[in-house]
């Protein structure tokens, strides 16, 4: 997200997104953990907040993370690091590393150059929309097309999280939130 690191902007953010960072901004990363790495409440062996990176605040009567980084370790030994920053900009990077060597195996970045080039066009067309809608426009269009094709033609919506993934992801977010809040007090 691209909020200014001010009490006023973060207070508004905390109120508008009162479900909390893990059930809002970082829900996508948690859905990836659930879908591809077997994370579920029952499979989590440990979770540890990065206290140097993370920040938990109470603003306008709402307590939430404005920055959060943590490591999940599953009972199968899978290690996943997740980081989110409400004031960190509209880009997103996923990095897959070898847990033993730390060697980077893959890197995924969003938005790409074509998407960035299209942002001014979208801003002039939609003006007051939240800035992250502009960077995620191609993804939203692809998602909508997959879902419509599924309903109209019965084609599988391959790559779209189903209701079971959504439910498990919300369970993981609800499980992690109080643990991470406690670690950051």
């Amino acid at each position: 997200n691209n909020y200014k690191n001010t009490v006023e902007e973060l207070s508004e953010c905390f109120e508008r997104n009162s479900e909390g960072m893990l059930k809002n901004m970082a829900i996508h990363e948690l859905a990836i953990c659930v879908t591809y790495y077997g994370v579920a409440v029952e499979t989590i062996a440990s979770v540890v907040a990065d206290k140097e990176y993370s920040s938990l605040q109470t603003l306008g009567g709402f307590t939430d993370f404005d920055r959060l980084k943590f490591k999940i370790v599953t009972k199968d030994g899978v290690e996943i690091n997740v980081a989110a920053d409400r004031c960190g900009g509209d880009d997103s990077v996923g990095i897959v590393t070898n847990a033993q060597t730390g060697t980077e195996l893959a890197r995924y970045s969003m938005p790409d150059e074509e998407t960035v080039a299209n942002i001014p066009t979208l801003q002039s067309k939609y003006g007051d929309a939240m800035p992250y809608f502009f960077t995620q426009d191609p993804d939203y269009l692809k998602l909508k097309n997959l879902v419509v094709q599924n309903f109209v033609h019965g084609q599988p919506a391959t790559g779209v999280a189903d209701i079971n993934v959504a439910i498990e992801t919300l369970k993981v977010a609800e499980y992690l939130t109080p643990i991470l809040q406690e670690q950051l007090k």
Side-chain angles (χ1 to χ4, degrees):
N1 284 335
N2 208 11
Y3 296 98
K4 291 183 179 135
N5 194 359
T6 66
V7 170
E8 295 78 24
E9 285 217 16
L10 285 173
S11 293
E12 185 277 331
C13 172
F14 283 17
E15 181 176 359
R16 187 168 32 82
N17 302 293
S18 61
E19 68 276 13
M21 180 187 271
L22 289 179
K23 289 169 70 177
N24 175 272
M25 182 179 171
I27 198 74
H28 311 96
E29 288 77 7
L30 292 179
I32 290 169
C33 295
V34 168
T35 302
Y36 298 107
Y37 299 101
V39 173
V41 171
E42 298 79 23
T43 66
I44 296 173
S46 66
V47 60
V48 178
D50 180 331
K51 293 179 181 182
E52 288 189 32
Y53 179 91
S54 303
S55 172
L56 177 69
Q57 297 190 54
T58 300
L59 300 170
F62 297 92
T63 299
D64 198 6
F65 310 100
D66 57 293
R67 272 188 335 275
L68 180 62
K69 183 176 181 182
F70 59 94
K71 180 194 286 189
I72 297 172
V73 179
T74 69
K75 293 176 182 174
D76 291 336
V78 174
E79 295 182 13
I80 305 146
N81 290 288
V82 175
D85 185 344
R86 293 231 185 249
C87 304
D90 290 327
D91 61 328
S92 182
V93 178
I95 302 168
V96 180
T97 59
N98 179 308
Q100 282 75 40
T101 66
T103 305
E104 185 174 309
L105 302 174
R107 178 180 292 257
Y108 306 93
S109 298
M110 190 237 49
D112 59 22
E113 291 178 19
E114 182 180 337
T115 301
V116 170
N118 193 40
I119 290 173
T121 303
L122 294 170
Q123 286 174 321
S124 67
K125 186 174 180 179
Y126 300 110
D128 292 338
M130 293 300 290
Y132 60 85
F133 285 128
F134 304 136
T135 60
Q136 296 174 8
D137 181 71
D139 298 320
Y140 285 128
L141 181 60
K142 181 180 178 184
L143 175 64
K144 288 176 186 177
N145 283 328
L146 286 169
V147 171
V148 168
Q149 294 302 315
N150 176 260
F151 282 115
V152 174
H153 302 291
Q155 296 174 352
T158 304
V160 176
D162 63 21
I163 191 67
N164 295 318
V165 169
I167 291 168
E168 190 58 44
T169 302
L170 285 170
K171 286 180 183 178
V172 168
E174 289 177 351
Y175 174 77
L176 293 176
T177 298
I179 293 170
L180 293 166
Q181 285 176 337
E182 186 61 33
Q183 290 181 17
L184 295 171
K185 283 186 179 175

